[in-house]
Amino acid sequence: MDLGIAGKVALVTGSGRGIGAEVARTLAAEGARIVVSDIDAAAADEVVRGLHESGAQAIAVRCDVCREDEVQHVANAANEAFGGIDILVNNAGFNKDRYLTKMTEPEWDSVVDVILKGAFHSSRAVLPGMMARKWGRIVNVSSRSVFGNPGQTNYSAAKLGLIGFTRALALEQAKFGITVNAVAPGFVETELMRANPTYEALRDAAIAKTPVGFLGVPDDIASAVAFIASERARYVSGVTLYVTGGRFSS
């Protein structure tokens, strides 16, 4: 299926590894030109090397999405290299799990800021160009954790906030030909997850709760993002697509 995004420019935040890197590769395979953005510059460079080897056009720009000046620098670099940004995937995020009574304020702030303030800064940076061109796609990577996980009050709150952000921004931007949607992954087997010392126990518990009987991989999420970001999804806006294997509750 031709998704209609060949030649479009896509910025994927937090794309130095994991789901973000796979999203970048999937969009590139559809003919999009890619801006790989990550706080880890070396990881971003490595993803871009792989994209170049596959024949894709891509640049890497280091960025802390919590800083407005750095996000604007990414937007400026994309404008200089490719002439603007058509697709934004707000993927940057991480978790610092701890029960609320033991959670520190920095642990709360760091998780919430990267997920929510990052989406705020990145969306504001790309929207003027999208509005001028009367076409744009913003895809926010939320999580099944919006239904609540013990030890994840910060992460669950931020990811649920991202869904509210999605719905409100979709209403604001519809008249400009811009759609805003969210994709909410379930348990996904990433390199970071496999590095967890309790990975096997987490994996087995997740499989037992997942109706389809297996866990997702980054490509499952990237494929969903690619569709939502495409011309094929032009009538889809303000929704959250749960890519969870049928699992919703914790």
Side-chain angles (χ1 to χ4, degrees):
M1 179 185 292
D2 181 5
L3 296 183
I5 58 173
K8 299 291 188 184
V9 179
L11 164 60
V12 186
T13 69
S15 50
R17 58 179 55 82
I19 290 172
E22 193 62 31
V23 168
R25 287 189 283 264
T26 299
L27 294 177
E30 292 293 331
R33 295 171 288 171
I34 309 298
V35 181
V36 174
S37 172
D38 201 281
I39 198 167
D40 184 339
D45 287 339
E46 182 64 26
V47 172
V48 166
R49 276 193 290 272
L51 292 174
H52 286 167
E53 289 172 2
S54 71
Q57 296 183 58
I59 61 170
V61 188
R62 185 203 175 276
C63 179
D64 176 353
V65 294
C66 292
R67 293 191 52 176
E68 185 177 15
D69 60 332
E70 293 194 14
V71 173
Q72 190 57 54
H73 171 67
V74 175
N76 293 343
N79 289 335
E80 182 176 345
F82 301 130
I85 297 169
D86 304 295
I87 298 166
L88 167 65
V89 182
N90 283 313
N91 171 75
F94 67 99
N95 60 293
K96 284 189 176 180
D97 297 350
R98 196 183 300 274
Y99 280 93
L100 187 66
T101 52
K102 297 181 180 180
M103 186 178 293
T104 66
E105 187 172 350
E107 287 170 336
W108 173 274
D109 287 346
S110 60
V111 170
V112 172
D113 281 357
V114 168
I115 293 170
L116 285 180
K117 189 178 288 185
F120 166 73
H121 285 323
S122 300
S123 299
R124 282 215 309 174
V126 306
L127 276 170
M130 291 181 178
M131 293 165 71
R133 290 187 294 274
K134 299 292 184 181
W135 197 97
R137 298 287 185 267
I138 295 178
V139 184
N140 299 313
V141 179
S142 182
S143 169
R144 187 205 57 81
S145 297
V146 300
F147 297 103
N149 281 331
Q152 288 194 323
T153 52
N154 50 1
Y155 189 75
S156 294
K159 290 296 190 179
L160 185 56
L162 201 55
I163 290 177
F165 176 89
T166 297
R167 292 174 178 170
L169 191 58
L171 294 174
E172 291 182 14
Q173 295 300 319
K175 63 185 177 183
F176 298 105
I178 300 166
T179 67
V180 187
N181 294 286
V183 169
F187 192 110
V188 178
E189 292 192 277
T190 62
E191 293 178 10
L192 185 62
M193 185 60 69
R194 286 191 289 271
N196 189 306
T198 62
Y199 165 69
E200 291 186 2
L202 290 170
R203 178 199 61 199
D204 293 346
I207 291 174
K209 295 178 180 179
T210 302
V212 299
F214 60 90
L215 300 182
V217 295
D219 182 63
D220 294 314
I221 313 306
S223 296
V225 171
F227 170 70
I228 292 295
S230 77
E231 182 62 25
R232 295 281 184 169
R234 68 190 184 99
Y235 200 50
V236 180
S237 195
V239 305
T240 300
L241 175 60
Y242 290 93
V243 190
T244 65
R247 180 185 176 191
F248 292 95
S249 63
S250 62

